[in-house]
């Protein structure tokens, strides 16, 4: 049978529509692109050409993974964040557009050639966006997961940031490694889902995304406490601390930060209007 690229596309789309996947058309294009390497214009140009059996089989395989509930990002192996294409694997949380507010906040509250630390970096999305946006910035990406560190290293390299960004293993619940130096900006999108919320998360999140990047203890605030207890010493006087948080957490997080003596605490919203980022300044008071 003479199968065209268009037939392959229509088959994928039909299958996704049948499963009530909301953006079936867009996802079908992405799956086809991942299998054929053809961007939309090339697809339009070549849609009535013959698609090989290999292509038909690969497209069917990826489509079945999607139908089984796997997030598109893991199937494609890459995802866009802040206009940057990043590699993603099941070792890292899929970068969310909500998190772009954390990057915006760090950029707004810092200036010049700042040095930053991204704690719990996962794919590296936050720190890499900072490095791309400020070409005088230098930084360190840190995570406890070896799998995540591999992905972050690759993303740093692919974005030509290896001369300005290093990647290290660190545990945010323990003291920082020696000789880390001081930072002007500390950003983190730590795990913050509460024990109760973990039970109500979407199937595509619980079944596929790394639990150690999601669960933040009973009240979801364990890692904010741990970072404040262990890591404030690496922040310069006048340095910025910026956290992503869950939509119901900003006021408890503000209180927590104020309890650690942090100043100039601000909450900012993400593009969907949720209170998403809490940031503050470390000011050492002279006595
Ligand atoms: N925003 C993510 C979610 O809702 C959670 C991210 C996190 O815990 N840091 O799935």
């Amino acid at each position: 049978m003479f199968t065209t690229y268009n037939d392959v596309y229509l088959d994928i789309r039909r299958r996704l529509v049948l499963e009530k996947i909301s953006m079936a058309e867009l996802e079908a294009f992405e799956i086809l692109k991942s299998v054929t390497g053809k961007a939309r214009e090339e697809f339009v140009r070549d849609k009535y050409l013959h698609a090989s059996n290999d292509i038909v089989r690969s497209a069917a395989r990826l489509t079945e993974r999607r139908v089984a509930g796997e997030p598109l990002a893991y199937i494609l192996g890459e995802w866009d964040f802040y206009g940057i294409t990043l590699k993603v694997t099941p070792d890292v949380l899929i970068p969310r557009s909500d998190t772009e507010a954390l990057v915006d906040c760090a950029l707004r509250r810092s200036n010049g050639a700042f040095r930053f630390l991204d704690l719990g970096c996962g794919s590296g999305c936050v720190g890499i966006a900072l490095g791309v946006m400020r070409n005088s910035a230098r930084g360190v990406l840190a995570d406890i997961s070896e799998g995540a560190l591999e992905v972050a290293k690759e993303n740093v390299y692919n974005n030509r940031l290896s001369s300005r960004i290093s990647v290290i293993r660190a545990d945010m619940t323990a003291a920082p490694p020696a000789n880390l130096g001081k930072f002007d900006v500390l950003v983190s999108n730590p795990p913050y889902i509460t024990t109760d919320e973990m039970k109500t998360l979407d199937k595509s999140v619980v079944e596929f995304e790394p639990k150690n990047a999601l669960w933040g203890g009973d009240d979801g605030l364990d890692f904010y406490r741990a970072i404040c207890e262990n890591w404030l010493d690496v922040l310069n006087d006048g340095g910025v601390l910026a956290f992503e948080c869950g939509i119901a957490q900003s006021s408890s997080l503000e209180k927590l930060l104020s309890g650690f003596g942090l100043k100039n605490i601000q909450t900012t919203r993400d593009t969907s209007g949720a209170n998403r980022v809490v940031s503050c300044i470390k000011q050492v008071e002279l006595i």
Side-chain angles (χ1 to χ4, degrees):
M1 192 176 109
F2 188 84
T3 308
T4 65
Y5 287 105
N6 198 42
D7 296 328
V8 182
Y9 163 71
L10 291 175
D11 274 348
I12 306 171
R13 197 181 70 178
R14 199 173 303 124
R15 191 79 181 93
L16 299 183
V17 168
L18 218 62
E19 291 300 317
K20 303 202 172 21
I21 289 173
S22 62
M23 295 201 285
E25 189 166 318
L26 207 79
E27 294 206 9
F29 264 119
E30 289 298 327
I31 290 175
L32 190 74
K33 183 171 135 207
S34 165
V35 171
T36 62
K38 289 183 194 296
R40 193 175 277 255
E41 316 75 65
E42 292 159 312
F43 167 70
V44 171
R45 185 192 65 198
D46 296 344
K47 68 201 272 194
Y48 298 117
L49 296 184
H50 176 246
S52 70
N53 284 341
D54 275 356
I55 285 187
V56 174
R57 267 195 299 270
S58 305
R61 210 176 48 239
L62 298 195
T63 307
E64 287 318 305
R65 281 171 62 186
R66 184 68 189 103
V67 165
E70 187 171 345
L72 185 65
Y74 293 143
I75 296 171
L76 303 178
E78 59 180 36
W79 205 242
D80 282 2
F81 176 81
Y82 222 91
I84 305 160
T85 301
L86 297 165
K87 172 181 170 154
V88 294
T89 72
D91 280 317
V92 302
L93 209 66
I94 300 164
R96 315 284 205 262
S97 56
D98 303 342
T99 306
E100 296 183 350
L102 179 60
V103 177
D104 288 336
C105 170
L107 290 172
R108 183 175 50 79
R109 297 198 76 168
S110 60
N111 43 49
F114 63 85
R115 183 165 188 259
F116 67 86
L117 172 64
D118 178 358
L119 257 188
C121 64
S123 63
C125 60
V126 174
I128 288 172
L130 290 177
V132 167
M133 295 305 290
R134 278 290 166 79
N135 55 21
S136 56
R138 289 162 302 132
V140 176
L141 309 183
D143 207 288
I144 194 167
S145 150
E146 296 287 358
L149 293 174
E150 286 306 309
V151 177
K153 275 184 201 154
E154 222 174 303
N155 283 325
V156 167
Y157 180 81
N158 291 342
N159 284 285
R160 301 164 190 266
L161 289 166
S162 309
S163 61
R164 291 191 283 125
I165 297 183
S166 53
V167 181
I168 63 161
R169 184 163 194 273
D171 176 356
M172 51 176 118
T173 67
N179 305 323
L180 191 59
K182 293 261 193 178
F183 297 92
D184 308 300
V185 176
L186 195 170
V187 283
S188 182
N189 172 18
Y192 56 67
I193 307 292
T194 68
T195 303
D196 283 346
E197 286 166 346
M198 285 300 289
K199 296 172 200 147
T200 63
L201 282 183
D202 211 71
K203 174 172 167 268
S204 72
V205 179
V206 226
E207 284 185 15
F208 293 94
E209 300 206 59
K211 184 166 179 270
N212 63 354
L214 291 166
W215 185 52
D218 284 348
D219 65 356
L221 303 176
D222 282 5
F223 291 96
Y224 304 111
R225 281 189 209 97
I227 292 173
C228 290
E229 276 161 16
N230 293 293
W231 291 78
L232 291 184
D233 281 352
V234 300
L235 201 55
N236 278 323
D237 187 15
V240 178
L241 175 61
F243 285 123
E244 173 172 328
C245 67
I247 49 172
Q249 288 171 329
S250 63
S251 54
S252 345
L253 182 52
E254 285 189 7
K255 281 197 202 83
L256 192 153
L257 296 176
S258 151
F260 278 93
L262 292 149
K263 301 283 187 286
N264 206 334
I265 301 169
Q266 298 175 1
T267 291
T268 39
R269 294 171 191 267
D270 63 19
T271 44
S272 44
N275 286 335
R276 184 60 69 190
V277 175
V278 179
S279 60
C280 56
I281 305 285
K282 173 179 160 184
Q283 239 146 37
V284 180
E285 281 173 30
L286 298 174
I287 34 166

